[in-house]
Amino acid sequence: MLRVHGPRLRVIWICGAAGAGKSVAAWALFEALATAGRRVAYVDIDQLGMLYPAADADLGRHSLKAEALAALAPGYVAAQAQVLVVSGVVDVDTGPGTALAQDVDLTLCLLSPDPAALRERILARGRDEADAEEAVAEDAVLRDATFVDVAIATSGLSVTDTVSRLREFCWVPDHDPDVAVDAGGRWCEVHGQVVCSPSDMDVVVVTGPRAAGSSTIGFGLNMGRWRAGRRTGFVDLQQLGFISERGSRTANETTLAIGQLAVMHNLMSERGAELLVVSGQLAVSDRATLRAALRAAQVTLVRLRADSKTLREHVHSRAEGNQTRLAGDDLLDADQEHQDVVVASALDEQHVLDASAADDAVLEVSGRTATDVIAEVDILNFG
């Protein structure tokens, strides 16, 4: 990777105990910087550590997450990001422990509610008193940690207030667009404009139109393998591609996400994974890029297909908050008009895929339970 004088990427890692408001504040910061015209990227650190069973020496997968962040940083630099917003937990004993390149500057920002507010948030999530006490104890340790650069007492602050405080630390480094950067770093090769993983570890991609259920099915497939003791990695493709367009609120770049996927593929292979399961939307034109990025691997694309009734049910469930909440999900609390737009767009997308993605293994999910579909995907790929 080319070295330049001074930092070229500003990493703002927002950490805290469970219930501290890390994800909400980090996403709001990402949107605020994007709206202000910054070229800003976002990643949830927990999305970088989904490899189970965990190694005995890294049960919390903190080392894996830190290594993944360092490995992905060159890709964000190559994509011209000025700031990378990271949300998620850190190891309370050792801190982030990530060996970022010298042209990447990291600031660790702790969000710290008062103990009573933190306890109330944990209990409101349906957790018990022991979980609440654990969160309060973790917050106390982090407030005294020497590796924390900035601590913000958030009690009494709105999300907007918290973001205003965080923006004080988001100065933007100079960025020379004419300087070439190796997006693959030491982890991957670059052929033409495509970042490529050298690993031959098999990959299963669960895809389909939006709201068909690719995340639910992909993650469920992983859960079954994890319970069976089969070391398997999981990546949500869209979670690797959050980067803003200048002057717009947010965007998701599939080309960036696929390059970062290649990095994660090689990293998880080196960490002993037998298989990588990927979920996410893929346009017809993205399939060739994905196969090129994973050129040494056997890649199986499983495309889910759903009728309008099933898509509407899935969209409504997400709007009601009945599924896992992920960054960038505009369906959360969406009104009926927006839900209808998403369903119509998904049906259009499905029509295009039916006409052009002939090499996919297609599974009809309409009216079926997730358990039933997961079992069929398992049989399809592993016999």
Side-chain angles (χ1 to χ4, degrees):
M1 181 176 175
L2 181 65
R3 306 298 185 197
V4 296
H5 179 68
R8 299 186 66 224
L9 179 67
R10 180 77 162 164
V11 178
I12 305 296
W13 186 335
I14 300 173
C15 68
K22 303 179 291 294
S23 297
V24 172
W27 186 257
L29 176 63
F30 169 60
E31 290 191 319
L33 292 174
T35 302
R38 304 301 189 199
R39 179 71 164 168
V40 56
Y42 170 89
V43 70
D44 180 340
I45 198 72
D46 292 331
Q47 294 287 327
L48 308 183
M50 293 192 183
L51 175 61
Y52 296 94
D56 291 341
D58 190 23
L59 292 177
R61 292 155 293 110
H62 294 296
S63 174
L64 170 62
K65 295 173 190 177
E67 191 171 14
L69 180 60
L72 294 177
Y76 291 118
V77 173
Q80 301 292 305
Q82 299 166 301
V83 178
L84 171 61
V85 177
V86 179
S87 68
V89 299
V90 296
D91 189 321
V92 296
D93 296 318
T94 63
T98 185
L100 293 167
Q102 68 183 40
D103 54 358
V104 177
D105 185 87
L106 171 65
T107 299
L108 195 68
C109 300
L110 170 66
L111 301 187
S112 179
D114 69 54
L118 185 56
R119 181 178 288 104
E120 183 178 343
R121 291 179 190 177
I122 296 298
L123 295 177
R125 294 180 175 183
R127 311 296 290 273
D128 59 24
E129 190 65 37
D131 293 325
E133 289 301 323
E134 182 179 349
V136 170
E138 181 179 347
D139 176 71
V141 172
L142 288 170
R143 279 190 279 110
D144 291 335
T146 58
F147 53 76
V148 171
D149 298 303
V150 177
I152 299 176
T154 58
S155 293
L157 297 182
S158 66
V159 173
T160 301
D161 293 335
T162 302
V163 168
S164 295
R165 292 289 308 278
L166 289 167
R167 289 187 68 171
E168 297 174 15
F169 311 102
C170 293
W171 56 264
V172 176
D174 292 334
H175 217 305
D176 183 353
D178 296 324
V179 176
V181 178
D182 178 3
R186 76 174 185 86
W187 287 100
C188 289
E189 306 163 352
V190 179
H191 295 272
Q193 298 298 313
V194 180
V195 179
C196 304
S197 170
S199 170
D200 63 357
M201 178 177 64
D202 290 351
V203 180
V204 174
V205 181
V206 183
T207 186
R210 188 175 185 192
S214 60
S215 293
T216 299
I217 302 306
F219 192 74
L221 178 63
N222 273 271
M223 289 291 289
R225 290 180 60 84
W226 293 340
R227 284 192 290 265
R230 305 292 300 275
R231 182 165 288 181
T232 306
F234 176 74
V235 171
D236 184 319
L237 185 64
Q238 268 67 49
Q239 293 294 314
L240 298 179
F242 288 122
I243 190 164
S244 67
E245 296 291 348
R246 295 184 189 276
S248 67
R249 193 177 182 199
T250 58
N252 193 293
E253 293 188 358
T254 304
T255 301
L256 168 63
I258 290 174
Q260 301 293 54
L261 172 64
V263 175
M264 291 298 296
H265 176 256
N266 193 34
L267 173 58
M268 288 193 172
S269 175
E270 290 200 359
R271 287 289 187 123
E274 302 173 4
L275 176 76
L276 178 63
V277 177
V278 180
S279 70
Q281 290 174 262
L282 277 176
V284 173
S285 58
D286 296 328
R287 282 157 163 74
T289 304
L290 182 135
R291 291 190 182 279
L294 303 174
R295 59 199 302 159
Q298 178 175 320
V299 179
T300 302
L301 269 76
V302 179
R303 175 160 56 89
L304 308 182
R305 196 180 188 288
D307 60 21
S308 60
K309 179 176 182 293
T310 299
L311 289 172
R312 288 186 185 280
E313 290 172 351
H314 290 178
V315 166
H316 181 71
S317 179
R318 282 170 59 176
E320 293 293 309
N322 296 328
Q323 298 184 24
T324 301
R325 299 189 176 197
L326 295 175
D329 189 355
D330 62 328
L331 279 172
L332 188 61
D333 298 325
D335 60 24
Q336 190 59 54
E337 182 179 2
H338 185 62
Q339 293 180 46
D340 291 342
V341 169
V342 170
V343 171
S345 177
L347 289 170
D348 289 343
E349 181 185 358
Q350 183 162 265
H351 178 73
V352 172
L353 292 170
D354 284 344
S356 305
D359 294 335
D360 297 349
V362 180
L363 290 184
E364 182 65 48
V365 301
S366 303
R368 301 173 65 185
T369 66
T371 301
D372 183 33
V373 176
I374 290 166
E376 186 170 352
V377 175
D378 205 14
I379 293 172
L380 176 68
N381 289 284
F382 313 111

